[in-house]
Amino acid sequence: MKLVGTIAAGLAALSLLGAAPPPPRPAIDGISHLAVYSTDMAKSEDFYVRVLGARKGADPEAPDGARFYFSTRQFVEVLPAPANHRPSMLAHVAYTTADAAAMRAYLAANGVGDLSPVRAGAAGERWFATRDPEGNAVQFVQPAPGSAPVASAISGRIIHVGHLVHDRAKEDGFYRRLLGFRPYWYGAFNPDKVDWVSQQAPDGRDWLEYMMVGPGSDVPLAKVDANQLGVLNHLSLGVVNMQAAVTKLYAENRLSKRHDGPQMGRDGKWQANFYDPDGTRVELMEYKAVTKPCCSGFTATDPTP
């Protein structure tokens, strides 16, 4: 009772001063989707439906776009590329939250600008958009209730997304300090560099991967062309057994025109890469490491199917 009285007194004091306590951050429990641009929607559909087995759906955000679902709450959104689009085919990254309106209020109270209104879809989902410190478009999505994998998909689980990052400290101010993302793993090809910085969603196990470029990484700024951007800006689908997944794609003649692997990643996990017609990389990755990772140990629990 004494603690309750102390809290009440503190809130009363804030009220007398005309200051409301900042709102708490709603849960952020994983990845909703990655949105990419396409120069040929039919070719993109063939890749996401035939190669990866996703289910096509209408896009409530953009009538001329499409969603390709791996589960009822995780998907790739494909949008027609605008005439003047930049070399990057990344449109935005989206994370799931327990309450879109409360998340927007939390960001506003913490000084984040460029916040769109909260929109609602017919299925009950709600979302809004903002930008991170490097100008990447970010959405927060309150999904409709329920979740189930798409039976035809090579994986029903997006386990991480990655995008180019120039300034790790600046991005950390947004993702780690404001949003609460937690360290998971970092690594590089060379011991004196940092190429990948992974951090899990604060209330889940999906992760965001900084794809570092410029000084301190193995990727010089001069090398960041359209092809490299497609490698850096990517999503990853979790698979239990890489051999079984790739064998299935091979046996059913579903390999994409451009692909590489399987190979052992520097994090000790098997991975294989497939590329959509505009060069965006989709990485298949096993959930758990099978050998010791380079550079650092894992500091959080792995995702599960």
Side-chain angles (χ1 to χ4, degrees):
M1 291 300 292
K2 184 176 180 180
L3 177 60
V4 172
T6 302
I7 293 172
L11 291 174
L14 284 170
S15 178
L16 289 172
L17 292 171
R25 176 187 58 76
I28 303 170
D29 60 10
I31 294 161
S32 167
H33 64 277
L34 184 76
V36 298
Y37 291 119
S38 168
T39 57
D40 188 319
M41 293 293 287
K43 288 182 179 179
S44 294
E45 179 175 341
D46 178 73
F47 174 78
Y48 288 104
V49 173
R50 184 184 62 83
V51 175
L52 298 181
R55 173 177 57 80
K56 183 182 179 182
D59 188 348
E61 295 185 61
D64 55 352
R67 289 181 173 184
F68 297 96
Y69 288 90
F70 298 101
S71 75
T72 52
R73 60 185 281 160
Q74 288 188 310
F75 55 92
V76 171
E77 181 180 10
V78 179
L79 304 166
N84 60 345
H85 77 88
R86 299 173 299 172
S88 173
M89 303 305 284
L90 176 65
H92 63 260
V93 177
Y95 302 97
T96 53
T97 180
D99 189 326
M103 177 60 69
R104 188 185 186 283
Y106 171 78
L107 294 177
N110 282 277
V112 177
D114 197 15
L115 295 163
S116 77
V118 175
R119 298 175 58 190
E125 64 185 327
R126 295 165 60 82
W127 71 90
F128 71 95
T130 186
R131 292 188 179 274
D132 74 13
E134 291 203 349
N136 299 297
V138 181
Q139 290 189 357
F140 293 92
V141 179
Q142 178 183 335
S147 178
V150 170
S152 58
I154 194 66
S155 167
R157 183 85 158 76
I158 298 176
I159 57 173
H160 79 260
V161 292
H163 61 72
L164 176 151
V165 168
H166 301 88
D167 189 325
R168 178 179 174 182
K170 186 182 292 185
E171 292 286 81
D172 277 352
F174 181 75
Y175 290 104
R176 288 200 176 177
R177 287 185 284 280
L178 180 59
L179 297 180
F181 278 66
R182 301 164 295 136
Y184 179 51
W185 177 79
Y186 68 86
F189 286 113
N190 294 299
D192 60 337
K193 305 285 187 181
V194 176
D195 294 332
W196 316 288
V197 182
S198 299
Q199 47 265 310
Q200 287 186 336
D203 305 287
R205 297 181 186 175
D206 302 345
W207 73 89
L208 161 64
E209 185 174 34
Y210 294 169
M211 306 296 288
M212 301 302 303
V213 300
S217 81
D218 286 300
V219 182
L221 291 174
K223 188 181 177 182
V224 183
D225 56 11
N227 182 73
Q228 186 68 27
L229 284 165
V231 174
L232 298 171
N233 299 327
H234 71 285
L235 79 151
S236 179
L237 299 170
V239 296
V240 174
N241 184 295
M242 184 63 66
Q243 181 179 0
V246 174
T247 298
K248 178 178 177 65
L249 295 178
Y250 181 85
E252 297 177 0
N253 194 29
R254 291 167 54 187
L255 296 177
S256 59
K257 185 176 181 180
R258 179 184 169 199
H259 60 271
D260 58 74
Q263 65 263 333
M264 181 62 66
R266 297 284 284 166
D267 58 358
K269 299 179 181 181
W270 281 108
Q271 56 191 239
N273 296 309
F274 299 84
Y275 300 83
D276 81 3
D278 291 284
T280 295
R281 180 165 63 101
V282 177
E283 176 185 51
L284 301 187
M285 176 180 277
E286 289 191 356
Y287 290 95
K288 295 183 177 297
V290 295
T291 189
K292 184 179 179 180
C294 84
C295 315
S296 73
F298 289 98
T299 57
T301 305
D302 295 323
T304 55

